[in-house]
Amino acid sequence: MSRLHHFSLLIVTLALSFQLFCDGKVMMEYIGATGAPVEFDDVPVDANIDFHFILGFTIDADSSGAPQNGNGVFSPYWAATLTPDAVAATKSRHPNVKALASLSGWSLAGKTLSWYNPPDANIWISNAYSSLKSLILTYHLDGIDVDYEKFPANSNSSFAYCIGELITLLKNQSLISVATIAPFYNTVSPYVELYESYVEVIDYVNYQFYTDKVKSPEAYLEAFRNRTEQFDRGKVLPSYEVNGRGIQGDAFFEALRLVEDDGFDVNGAMIFSADASASNGYYYEIKTQEFLLSNSTS
């Protein structure tokens, strides 16, 4: 057997072993959105979890938050500590880690960001593809997360077409392996349109349940049921905002148990964000991973 053939078999074996080892559990963690000097190494990562760091944010606007004439050129605005070398190092230490870039977010430089219909959708897609390709290769990224949070009042938005075609192109060119979307209660409509048209290239729905402002586990379960009627139940991840809105404290884990008892497979979760968790020793990251690994689903 040649050394090359032996090495190829080793890589395949390791990949299959890792897939079985992680047992289908996924953890999404936003990081770097506030500008605080957070480090990947600060966040506890369980080796049995398929752990996705979502870098917030890359934005198709200039540094003042003004749209760049609809040209789709993305630039990174996450914390300066989250360098390409830092991404490569944490992925080297943790083979179960992936890194994603989140598109847009809520604001930049105090200015609310909005999806704007580009004059030419295909030019926007081409420019977005080129700029994100450069970002993906530079930062050793595995995917993108779509987090536009404000849309034009008219219903003729090109959002679904532009984003759907962009994800499809990135996947077809093997530049990314993961694509997620992050709707909340006020943006469900454009995301449902995107999801229904491009469901085959969207892997997870990081629905922002904390924006639903539910305070009890029972209300959280009801919100979860409602959202899984709009998006596939197997792709919707329960979510939590540290020191933020919605359900707080250990009531979140009681809500997860209710969701599981109601017949849902709780095989993943999303937390916003690592920046806020530094103040409490990453309690929710640790406990969420423990829950995912101890629950009865597989």
Side-chain angles (χ1 to χ4, degrees):
M1 180 184 293
S2 69
R3 289 183 179 180
L4 180 59
H5 185 57
H6 178 76
F7 181 73
S8 299
L9 287 176
L10 178 61
I11 292 297
V12 171
T13 302
L14 287 174
L16 290 173
S17 298
F18 170 70
Q19 185 176 7
L20 291 173
F21 195 50
C22 284
D23 198 28
K25 312 292 184 175
V26 62
M27 172 86 170
M28 303 275 179
E29 172 89 81
Y30 283 85
I31 188 170
T34 66
V38 64
E39 303 275 0
F40 292 115
D41 284 350
D42 296 338
V43 183
V45 173
D46 193 298
N48 300 309
I49 294 285
D50 192 8
F51 199 107
H52 295 53
F53 281 111
I54 303 178
L55 283 69
F57 292 91
T58 182
I59 303 170
D60 53 336
D62 64 24
S63 58
S64 69
Q68 299 186 87
N69 299 316
N71 65 8
V73 176
F74 285 86
S75 301
Y77 288 95
W78 47 72
T81 49
L82 307 179
T83 64
D85 286 346
V87 175
T90 196
K91 289 176 67 174
S92 177
R93 283 190 294 272
H94 303 288
N96 56 314
V97 161
K98 292 183 176 65
L100 286 66
S102 187
L103 276 54
S104 187
W106 177 253
S107 65
L108 177 65
K111 185 170 184 177
T112 301
L113 300 168
S114 178
W115 171 262
Y116 44 86
N117 291 318
D120 188 316
N122 291 320
I123 289 177
W124 186 95
I125 294 166
S126 177
N127 289 342
Y129 170 80
S130 297
S131 59
L132 288 174
K133 176 181 178 179
S134 176
L135 198 67
I136 288 162
L137 295 176
T138 299
Y139 277 87
H140 318 287
L141 303 178
D142 302 280
I144 62 170
D145 170 73
V146 182
D147 189 29
Y148 282 90
E149 300 196 357
K150 188 176 180 182
F151 293 87
N154 69 73
S155 59
N156 297 318
S157 173
S158 56
F159 173 73
Y161 174 73
C162 287
I163 296 297
E165 290 299 310
L166 172 63
I167 294 172
T168 301
L169 187 57
L170 290 169
K171 282 200 166 185
N172 285 347
Q173 295 301 313
S174 300
L175 285 167
I176 63 171
S177 59
V178 182
T180 67
I181 58 174
F184 71 103
Y185 74 93
N186 205 33
T187 62
V188 165
S189 180
Y191 279 97
V192 165
E193 181 185 0
L194 167 63
Y195 187 80
E196 290 180 345
S197 299
Y198 294 91
V199 62
E200 70 280 357
V201 295
I202 296 171
D203 299 286
Y204 299 101
V205 179
N206 285 321
Y207 184 84
Q208 301 176 50
F209 284 99
Y210 37 84
T211 65
D212 285 353
K213 301 179 182 179
V214 298
K215 300 295 185 180
S216 71
E218 293 77 13
Y220 194 102
L221 170 60
E222 185 61 28
F224 194 85
R225 286 175 182 153
N226 292 338
R227 299 311 174 187
T228 55
E229 291 178 0
Q230 296 168 310
F231 305 96
D232 289 343
R233 59 187 288 156
K235 293 186 178 184
V236 177
L237 301 183
S239 61
Y240 181 79
E241 183 176 37
V242 178
N243 300 330
R245 299 158 290 178
I247 199 167
Q248 289 291 294
D250 285 341
F252 173 62
F253 301 105
E254 185 179 344
L256 292 185
R257 284 188 287 272
L258 288 181
V259 169
E260 186 179 49
D261 290 344
D262 201 52
F264 292 95
D265 290 340
V266 182
N267 286 324
M270 177 269 275
I271 290 184
F272 188 91
S273 67
D275 304 36
S277 290
S279 63
N280 59 34
Y282 298 94
Y283 173 82
Y284 295 100
E285 286 79 0
I286 294 169
K287 193 159 183 177
T288 298
Q289 291 176 87
E290 289 175 350
F291 179 90
L292 292 174
L293 293 173
S294 65
N295 69 12
S296 60
T297 60
S298 60

